[in-house]
Amino acid sequence: MTAIDPADLDLGLDTFGDITRDAAGERVSDAQTIRNVVEQAVLADEVGLAFFGVGEHHRPEFAVSSPEIVLAAAAARTKDIHLGTAVTVLSSDDPVRVYERFATLDAVSNGRAEVILGRGSFIESFPLFGYDLRDYETLFEEKLDLFSQLLTESPVTWQGSLRAPLEAADVFPKTAHGLTAWVGVGGTPESVVRAARYGYGLMLAIIGGPAARFRPFVDLYHRSLDSFGRDRLPVGIHSPGHIAETDQQAWEEAYEGFESMNNTIGRERGWPAYSRGRFQHDVGPEGALYVGSPETVARKIADTVGSLGSTRFDMKFSTGTLSHDKLMTSIELYGTRVQPLVREMLAERG
């Protein structure tokens, strides 16, 4: 276990804008789901959370395909919370446009913008925007290299194999203090080393198995930063969860949404049907779901950040059909009860 100073730990939230159902069981519209996401961000700010992330997807289960626009709406109604993506699929986007959009969001939010860059675990954006999946690795490597140079906010001269070159190209607007940028990693050593090489924070997406098994990736990240002559950079964690007053209530509320989402994606990827048995394992100590009462979730978060030495934990609080009112309750409990409990637990452990 690694001692974590409670003052150094940030707790945040992530959502993909999952299409939910209302109290009558009816499917909520895409438009209402997006408006609900903005309300969720406002509440997250009110209860003192550090970050609110919105993922980018291009498929029917998720309403948000342009997260920066949703985040800009949230920026206008929030004061302190940092706003970013979870993730931006850089491989099927243009790094110049990504920089420009986030620099604009940074201005609108008065310096609260963050970007988490990823290759994309869903591939719909590649054919949608005219990219060849055979270039999957090269696209991300080259675009990450270009984006890294754009972050300097100086004129960039760059050349790759899959995009037109740039010659002393300057991009606008400029930010007041630079952009905070991370790379989302699902657990491959090459991705960890890449994040260190380009000088990005490491955001580990832990959606299966015990968090402790990712410790070798954290150690590899730190060794890689040292080998590249870089200062220590933050390690964050993204994992799914849901909070209610009791464990049993949280499990009952969350199961249908997890079952729906896992079976929908599983049919495409050849996964076995989701079951209660698997769910109960996943919410236990050896699983990656942070579902339960405030005390249960706080204990699991404290264990996770201690085992990995991370200073940021983002709970992916929306999954499948879980309704907006239950999501709002989960956010409130996360900020008002889980957050102080985690800090108390970490302080007690020294």
Side-chain angles (χ1 to χ4, degrees):
M1 298 290 286
T2 302
I4 301 294
D5 186 338
D8 293 336
L9 179 67
D10 289 330
L11 293 187
L13 291 167
D14 290 334
T15 178
F16 296 166
D18 303 54
I19 301 295
T20 64
R21 296 191 181 279
D22 61 20
E26 297 296 321
R27 185 183 189 275
V28 175
S29 69
D30 291 1
Q32 185 58 54
T33 298
I34 289 171
R35 290 191 288 270
N36 288 346
V37 168
V38 174
E39 295 300 326
Q40 291 155 14
V42 171
L43 178 58
D45 186 49
E46 290 173 351
V47 297
L49 294 169
F51 177 79
F52 190 87
V54 181
E56 173 198 349
H57 292 85
H58 305 270
R59 51 184 294 137
E61 295 84 13
F62 308 113
V64 180
S65 57
S66 300
E68 301 92 341
I69 296 177
V70 180
L71 294 167
R77 297 184 53 198
T78 56
K79 296 180 180 178
D80 300 312
I81 196 165
H82 282 221
L83 303 164
T85 45
V87 300
T88 292
V89 185
L90 185 65
S91 304
S92 57
D93 210 328
D94 185 89
V96 173
R97 294 295 291 149
V98 172
Y99 167 82
E100 291 176 338
R101 295 196 302 264
F102 276 91
T104 302
L105 176 63
D106 198 64
V108 170
S109 65
N110 195 23
R112 292 184 283 133
E114 298 188 14
V115 58
I116 304 177
L117 305 165
R119 295 183 297 175
S121 60
F122 293 89
I123 60 173
E124 289 80 11
S125 63
F126 289 83
L128 185 65
F129 299 122
Y131 292 98
D132 192 330
L133 276 171
R134 289 174 295 185
D135 297 324
Y136 185 81
E137 291 290 342
T138 305
L139 280 166
F140 189 65
E141 180 72 43
E142 289 192 356
K143 292 187 176 189
L144 192 65
D145 177 57
L146 174 53
F147 191 79
S148 301
Q149 295 187 44
L150 294 168
L151 285 178
T152 67
E153 303 197 1
S154 301
V156 170
T157 296
W158 178 91
Q159 184 168 352
S161 63
L162 297 174
R163 187 201 186 279
L166 296 175
E167 181 66 34
D170 214 355
V171 290
F172 305 96
K174 305 298 184 184
T175 65
H177 303 290
L179 281 174
T180 298
W182 305 68
V183 168
V185 173
T188 62
E190 295 80 7
S191 296
V192 172
V193 174
R194 181 189 291 120
R197 184 169 73 250
Y198 287 110
Y200 290 94
L202 180 70
M203 183 61 68
L204 290 168
I206 303 178
I207 59 175
R213 71 187 179 93
F214 282 78
R215 182 70 209 200
F217 294 105
V218 175
D219 294 339
L220 173 62
Y221 178 62
H222 290 153
R223 291 197 307 272
S224 299
L225 287 172
D226 290 342
S227 70
F228 295 124
R230 295 189 178 278
D231 294 333
R232 284 297 172 97
L233 293 168
V235 173
I237 298 159
H238 157 105
S239 286
H242 177 65
I243 307 161
E245 285 292 343
T246 68
D247 288 347
Q248 193 64 43
Q249 181 184 353
W251 297 341
E252 290 304 313
E253 290 179 356
Y255 178 72
E256 181 183 346
F258 279 96
E259 179 190 47
S260 172
M261 186 56 61
N262 275 271
N263 286 342
T264 297
I265 299 171
R267 283 190 290 271
E268 301 173 4
R269 302 186 179 183
W271 297 347
Y274 201 66
S275 67
R276 278 277 183 179
R278 178 182 164 190
F279 175 78
Q280 290 305 143
H281 172 270
D282 290 346
V283 301
E286 296 301 305
L289 304 187
Y290 294 72
V291 178
S293 67
E295 294 76 15
T296 294
V297 172
R299 189 177 306 109
K300 194 167 183 178
I301 292 173
D303 290 344
T304 294
V305 299
S307 67
L308 298 182
S310 58
T311 55
R312 169 98 151 252
F313 184 91
D314 292 342
M315 185 179 77
K316 199 270 185 180
F317 69 97
S318 63
T319 299
T321 53
L322 196 58
S323 64
H324 174 58
D325 64 321
K326 291 182 173 61
L327 296 179
M328 293 290 273
T329 298
S330 183
I331 292 169
E332 183 171 5
L333 291 172
Y334 186 59
T336 61
R337 291 175 58 184
V338 172
Q339 182 165 235
L341 279 171
V342 172
R343 299 192 191 284
E344 288 175 16
M345 292 174 183
L346 292 175
E348 290 171 359
R349 297 176 187 185

